Amino acid sequence: MWIVWKRYFIYWPEKQNVASNVKQLFIFIQKEFKHVFRDRKTLLMLFGMPTTQIILFGFALTNEIKNSEVAVLDAAKTELSQSIIQTIDASTYFDVRYHIQNTKQAETLFQKGKIKAVVVIPVEFKEAAFAQQPNDIQLITDASDPNVSTTIRNYLTTILNSFFAEKNKQAASMQIVPEVRMLYNPELKGAFNFVPGVISLVLMLVCTMMSSVSIVREKEMGTMEILLVSPFKPLYIIISKLAPYFLISIFNLVFILVLSVTLLGLSIKGSVLLLVLASALFIITSLAIGLLISTTAKSQQNAMMISLLGMMLPTMLLTGFMFPIENMPLGLQMLSNIVPSRWFFIIIKNVMLKGLGFMHVWKEMGILTLMAFLLLVVSIRKFKIRLQE
Amino acid sequence: MQAVIEARELTKSFGSFIAANKLTFDVMPGEIFGFLGANGAGKTTAMRMLCGLSIPTSGEARIAGFDVYTQTEKIKQNIGYMSQKFSLYEDLTVKENIRFYGGIYGLKIPQIKKKTDELLHELQLTQEADKLVRELPLGWKQKLSFSVALVHDPKIVFLDEPTGGVDPITRRQFWDLIYYATSKGITVFVTTHYMDEAEYCNRVSIMVDGVIEALDKPSVLKQKFNVDSMEEVFYLLARKAKRSE
């Protein structure tokens, strides 16, 4: 107690002045940037990862249906049935490829995987000249992938509904036809949901990996010892390790946003400032996790594995961008609460897609702030304790 | 003359394990003090206490006149440190390494510039100033690493097995650098496994199981144990050790 007291009070005036401390920090941070820019692997991780993720999630891994090939069995052969088929073909979701004569043919096409659905317009359709019910039309879908099947059914039903609604309007029907509007994402683009997820994932991985690896590298190289023997304070080591990666991550965020806007045609509805602010919070949280990893990891590989494997899965699964959290078992739902990206994902979705302001995300931002603070305190303490040994 | 390192019953224990037990010794200014001991004898623990990296369990020590309990910051300003790993950044150039270490020791920019020119000239590395350290031969890295440890003109320099894995000729050259440093009044505290190097020291201490078993000039120790080389002195003492690693 006495020693601590003496350290803080008696030796206080002997501490170096602020200006020289700042200069020391500056030289250290400069060095960190040199490490980053001279290492091809780090650069690749920084810019390659977001680019591939955006492309992967934005184009390849979508759960939307585009140009699905369908077959039609038009037994009615009327003007009406023809125009129904034309409407289906005209939509961007479907491509009428095959005109078949019997259900047997449909079976073969399904088995070969050529088509996703068959639209059957029965002979009775002719008699029911007033047929205004889409129910009279049969839809057969390939349900080996239930999600795709459901989506196709929904899309087709919607197309048919609106077709009949249009017809009925002319016939002045009294039917109630709901007019559906898809809010915030009118075109139902899968990328809109994935991009905020990818932003959380990439920022999380890049931040934890960079900070943990860069600290562990100094331990491995033996340079950490020299830093500790020098008058440069441990807290400064932490600051000068985190500051460059903070800046780089902000740059990375901008890079991802530009990619999403230009490549995926996303528009940022809300305040960019709020978005950057929330991201800064999330970046600090992730950097603190990296710092924590660095106190336990033995080697650079070790640090990389922990940050990649240890962070990738929980982030992917428990953030909510791949699987909705509400559908998970209670245990996993509770677990997802401690995953920082879960909260960040909500913020970024609200701000980017819905254009909501601070009033709608303050709770999540508060949670992130708390997490960042706790993680920083714990990791700084742990970092210092390790040095004492 | 006032000793630059004074240790009095300096002890560090981890739980019931006493890594360093009541170490008492003085090191005089300009002296080369060899700190020998088998692996696990407690050398590293002792050295870490003297560098202000770990707080002793009991006992006292003053480094360059500063207390190891309360004045670790002052101690750090006055010591240099070099380990076997050379502690240079491989992806920085020779110049950048000097600048960085000068920087964290709080040297001002003009001072760093002056120091850089001096060092490069002394080591005859002016041609290689802008080369990455990675590209230098091992012997040069080692010399550069030593010079960098002296960049802030410390009173004492701690060398932790500085010549591990280096060929005999380079080792000999390295000792020339050490002598040159002591000629300028710097005190050298060195641990080593090579007994021929022990002969180069002014005085050596030999640690066995956390205790200093012998401490004197190499010639006196050889006489005392009635043997011809430090190798034999070390062997006679170290084989008594009960703990390893």
mmCIF file with all atom_site columns, all heavy atoms in Angstrom, chain A residues 71-82:
data_model
loop_
_atom_site.group_PDB
_atom_site.id
_atom_site.type_symbol
_atom_site.label_atom_id
_atom_site.label_alt_id
_atom_site.label_comp_id
_atom_site.label_asym_id
_atom_site.label_entity_id
_atom_site.label_seq_id
_atom_site.pdbx_PDB_ins_code
_atom_site.Cartn_x
_atom_site.Cartn_y
_atom_site.Cartn_z
_atom_site.occupancy
_atom_site.B_iso_or_equiv
_atom_site.pdbx_formal_charge
_atom_site.auth_seq_id
_atom_site.auth_comp_id
_atom_site.auth_asym_id
_atom_site.auth_atom_id
_atom_site.pdbx_PDB_model_num
ATOM 1  N N   . ALA A 1 71 ? -41.157 -25.091 -65.376 1.00 0.00 ? 71 ALA A N   1
ATOM 2  C CA  . ALA A 1 71 ? -41.843 -25.668 -66.535 1.00 0.00 ? 71 ALA A CA  1
ATOM 3  C C   . ALA A 1 71 ? -43.337 -25.361 -66.413 1.00 0.00 ? 71 ALA A C   1
ATOM 4  O O   . ALA A 1 71 ? -43.833 -25.188 -65.296 1.00 0.00 ? 71 ALA A O   1
ATOM 5  C CB  . ALA A 1 71 ? -41.616 -27.167 -66.569 1.00 0.00 ? 71 ALA A CB  1
ATOM 6  N N   . VAL A 1 72 ? -44.033 -25.250 -67.531 1.00 0.00 ? 72 VAL A N   1
ATOM 7  C CA  . VAL A 1 72 ? -45.478 -25.048 -67.448 1.00 0.00 ? 72 VAL A CA  1
ATOM 8  C C   . VAL A 1 72 ? -46.186 -26.167 -68.206 1.00 0.00 ? 72 VAL A C   1
ATOM 9  O O   . VAL A 1 72 ? -45.711 -26.663 -69.222 1.00 0.00 ? 72 VAL A O   1
ATOM 10 C CB  . VAL A 1 72 ? -45.923 -23.684 -68.025 1.00 0.00 ? 72 VAL A CB  1
ATOM 11 C CG1 . VAL A 1 72 ? -45.497 -22.569 -67.101 1.00 0.00 ? 72 VAL A CG1 1
ATOM 12 C CG2 . VAL A 1 72 ? -45.381 -23.477 -69.425 1.00 0.00 ? 72 VAL A CG2 1
ATOM 13 N N   . LEU A 1 73 ? -47.307 -26.568 -67.629 1.00 0.00 ? 73 LEU A N   1
ATOM 14 C CA  . LEU A 1 73 ? -48.153 -27.558 -68.291 1.00 0.00 ? 73 LEU A CA  1
ATOM 15 C C   . LEU A 1 73 ? -49.467 -26.846 -68.546 1.00 0.00 ? 73 LEU A C   1
ATOM 16 O O   . LEU A 1 73 ? -50.290 -26.688 -67.651 1.00 0.00 ? 73 LEU A O   1
ATOM 17 C CB  . LEU A 1 73 ? -48.338 -28.766 -67.375 1.00 0.00 ? 73 LEU A CB  1
ATOM 18 C CG  . LEU A 1 73 ? -48.753 -30.093 -68.009 1.00 0.00 ? 73 LEU A CG  1
ATOM 19 C CD1 . LEU A 1 73 ? -48.598 -31.210 -67.014 1.00 0.00 ? 73 LEU A CD1 1
ATOM 20 C CD2 . LEU A 1 73 ? -50.138 -30.040 -68.597 1.00 0.00 ? 73 LEU A CD2 1
ATOM 21 N N   . ASP A 1 74 ? -49.597 -26.361 -69.758 1.00 0.00 ? 74 ASP A N   1
ATOM 22 C CA  . ASP A 1 74 ? -50.789 -25.580 -70.070 1.00 0.00 ? 74 ASP A CA  1
ATOM 23 C C   . ASP A 1 74 ? -51.788 -26.474 -70.797 1.00 0.00 ? 74 ASP A C   1
ATOM 24 O O   . ASP A 1 74 ? -51.719 -26.639 -72.009 1.00 0.00 ? 74 ASP A O   1
ATOM 25 C CB  . ASP A 1 74 ? -50.389 -24.367 -70.922 1.00 0.00 ? 74 ASP A CB  1
ATOM 26 C CG  . ASP A 1 74 ? -51.586 -23.485 -71.214 1.00 0.00 ? 74 ASP A CG  1
ATOM 27 O OD1 . ASP A 1 74 ? -52.659 -23.742 -70.628 1.00 0.00 ? 74 ASP A OD1 1
ATOM 28 O OD2 . ASP A 1 74 ? -51.425 -22.537 -72.008 1.00 0.00 ? 74 ASP A OD2 1
ATOM 29 N N   . ALA A 1 75 ? -52.717 -27.017 -70.011 1.00 0.00 ? 75 ALA A N   1
ATOM 30 C CA  . ALA A 1 75 ? -53.721 -27.893 -70.614 1.00 0.00 ? 75 ALA A CA  1
ATOM 31 C C   . ALA A 1 75 ? -54.897 -27.079 -71.138 1.00 0.00 ? 75 ALA A C   1
ATOM 32 O O   . ALA A 1 75 ? -55.648 -27.516 -72.000 1.00 0.00 ? 75 ALA A O   1
ATOM 33 C CB  . ALA A 1 75 ? -54.189 -28.922 -69.601 1.00 0.00 ? 75 ALA A CB  1
ATOM 34 N N   . ALA A 1 76 ? -55.068 -25.873 -70.592 1.00 0.00 ? 76 ALA A N   1
ATOM 35 C CA  . ALA A 1 76 ? -56.213 -25.045 -70.962 1.00 0.00 ? 76 ALA A CA  1
ATOM 36 C C   . ALA A 1 76 ? -56.033 -24.400 -72.339 1.00 0.00 ? 76 ALA A C   1
ATOM 37 O O   . ALA A 1 76 ? -56.936 -24.374 -73.156 1.00 0.00 ? 76 ALA A O   1
ATOM 38 C CB  . ALA A 1 76 ? -56.422 -23.955 -69.909 1.00 0.00 ? 76 ALA A CB  1
ATOM 39 N N   . LYS A 1 77 ? -54.812 -23.939 -72.536 1.00 0.00 ? 77 LYS A N   1
ATOM 40 C CA  . LYS A 1 77 ? -54.477 -23.299 -73.807 1.00 0.00 ? 77 LYS A CA  1
ATOM 41 C C   . LYS A 1 77 ? -55.464 -22.190 -74.185 1.00 0.00 ? 77 LYS A C   1
ATOM 42 O O   . LYS A 1 77 ? -56.060 -22.199 -75.262 1.00 0.00 ? 77 LYS A O   1
ATOM 43 C CB  . LYS A 1 77 ? -54.407 -24.336 -74.936 1.00 0.00 ? 77 LYS A CB  1
ATOM 44 C CG  . LYS A 1 77 ? -53.222 -25.284 -74.783 1.00 0.00 ? 77 LYS A CG  1
ATOM 45 C CD  . LYS A 1 77 ? -52.800 -25.865 -76.117 1.00 0.00 ? 77 LYS A CD  1
ATOM 46 C CE  . LYS A 1 77 ? -51.504 -26.617 -76.052 1.00 0.00 ? 77 LYS A CE  1
ATOM 47 N NZ  . LYS A 1 77 ? -51.500 -27.714 -75.058 1.00 0.00 ? 77 LYS A NZ  1
ATOM 48 N N   . THR A 1 78 ? -55.688 -21.281 -73.291 1.00 0.00 ? 78 THR A N   1
ATOM 49 C CA  . THR A 1 78 ? -56.554 -20.146 -73.593 1.00 0.00 ? 78 THR A CA  1
ATOM 50 C C   . THR A 1 78 ? -55.709 -18.896 -73.621 1.00 0.00 ? 78 THR A C   1
ATOM 51 O O   . THR A 1 78 ? -54.528 -18.923 -73.261 1.00 0.00 ? 78 THR A O   1
ATOM 52 C CB  . THR A 1 78 ? -57.633 -19.960 -72.503 1.00 0.00 ? 78 THR A CB  1
ATOM 53 O OG1 . THR A 1 78 ? -56.957 -19.785 -71.266 1.00 0.00 ? 78 THR A OG1 1
ATOM 54 C CG2 . THR A 1 78 ? -58.551 -21.159 -72.429 1.00 0.00 ? 78 THR A CG2 1
ATOM 55 N N   . GLU A 1 79 ? -56.321 -17.824 -73.986 1.00 0.00 ? 79 GLU A N   1
ATOM 56 C CA  . GLU A 1 79 ? -55.620 -16.552 -73.995 1.00 0.00 ? 79 GLU A CA  1
ATOM 57 C C   . GLU A 1 79 ? -55.173 -16.188 -72.580 1.00 0.00 ? 79 GLU A C   1
ATOM 58 O O   . GLU A 1 79 ? -54.064 -15.723 -72.343 1.00 0.00 ? 79 GLU A O   1
ATOM 59 C CB  . GLU A 1 79 ? -56.558 -15.478 -74.530 1.00 0.00 ? 79 GLU A CB  1
ATOM 60 C CG  . GLU A 1 79 ? -55.823 -14.343 -75.218 1.00 0.00 ? 79 GLU A CG  1
ATOM 61 C CD  . GLU A 1 79 ? -56.808 -13.350 -75.774 1.00 0.00 ? 79 GLU A CD  1
ATOM 62 O OE1 . GLU A 1 79 ? -57.728 -13.770 -76.504 1.00 0.00 ? 79 GLU A OE1 1
ATOM 63 O OE2 . GLU A 1 79 ? -56.651 -12.162 -75.435 1.00 0.00 ? 79 GLU A OE2 1
ATOM 64 N N   . LEU A 1 80 ? -56.098 -16.473 -71.635 1.00 0.00 ? 80 LEU A N   1
ATOM 65 C CA  . LEU A 1 80 ? -55.838 -16.173 -70.230 1.00 0.00 ? 80 LEU A CA  1
ATOM 66 C C   . LEU A 1 80 ? -54.621 -16.960 -69.726 1.00 0.00 ? 80 LEU A C   1
ATOM 67 O O   . LEU A 1 80 ? -53.701 -16.403 -69.116 1.00 0.00 ? 80 LEU A O   1
ATOM 68 C CB  . LEU A 1 80 ? -57.074 -16.503 -69.399 1.00 0.00 ? 80 LEU A CB  1
ATOM 69 C CG  . LEU A 1 80 ? -57.008 -16.089 -67.937 1.00 0.00 ? 80 LEU A CG  1
ATOM 70 C CD1 . LEU A 1 80 ? -56.941 -14.570 -67.820 1.00 0.00 ? 80 LEU A CD1 1
ATOM 71 C CD2 . LEU A 1 80 ? -58.194 -16.634 -67.167 1.00 0.00 ? 80 LEU A CD2 1
ATOM 72 N N   . SER A 1 81 ? -54.619 -18.268 -70.004 1.00 0.00 ? 81 SER A N   1
ATOM 73 C CA  . SER A 1 81 ? -53.522 -19.098 -69.492 1.00 0.00 ? 81 SER A CA  1
ATOM 74 C C   . SER A 1 81 ? -52.205 -18.663 -70.109 1.00 0.00 ? 81 SER A C   1
ATOM 75 O O   . SER A 1 81 ? -51.162 -18.645 -69.457 1.00 0.00 ? 81 SER A O   1
ATOM 76 C CB  . SER A 1 81 ? -53.798 -20.574 -69.765 1.00 0.00 ? 81 SER A CB  1
ATOM 77 O OG  . SER A 1 81 ? -53.701 -20.851 -71.141 1.00 0.00 ? 81 SER A OG  1
ATOM 78 N N   . GLN A 1 82 ? -52.259 -18.285 -71.391 1.00 0.00 ? 82 GLN A N   1
ATOM 79 C CA  . GLN A 1 82 ? -51.051 -17.814 -72.053 1.00 0.00 ? 82 GLN A CA  1
ATOM 80 C C   . GLN A 1 82 ? -50.498 -16.564 -71.375 1.00 0.00 ? 82 GLN A C   1
ATOM 81 O O   . GLN A 1 82 ? -49.303 -16.434 -71.154 1.00 0.00 ? 82 GLN A O   1
ATOM 82 C CB  . GLN A 1 82 ? -51.348 -17.512 -73.539 1.00 0.00 ? 82 GLN A CB  1
ATOM 83 C CG  . GLN A 1 82 ? -51.397 -18.745 -74.435 1.00 0.00 ? 82 GLN A CG  1
ATOM 84 C CD  . GLN A 1 82 ? -50.113 -19.554 -74.396 1.00 0.00 ? 82 GLN A CD  1
ATOM 85 O OE1 . GLN A 1 82 ? -49.020 -18.981 -74.501 1.00 0.00 ? 82 GLN A OE1 1
ATOM 86 N NE2 . GLN A 1 82 ? -50.219 -20.862 -74.204 1.00 0.00 ? 82 GLN A NE2 1
#
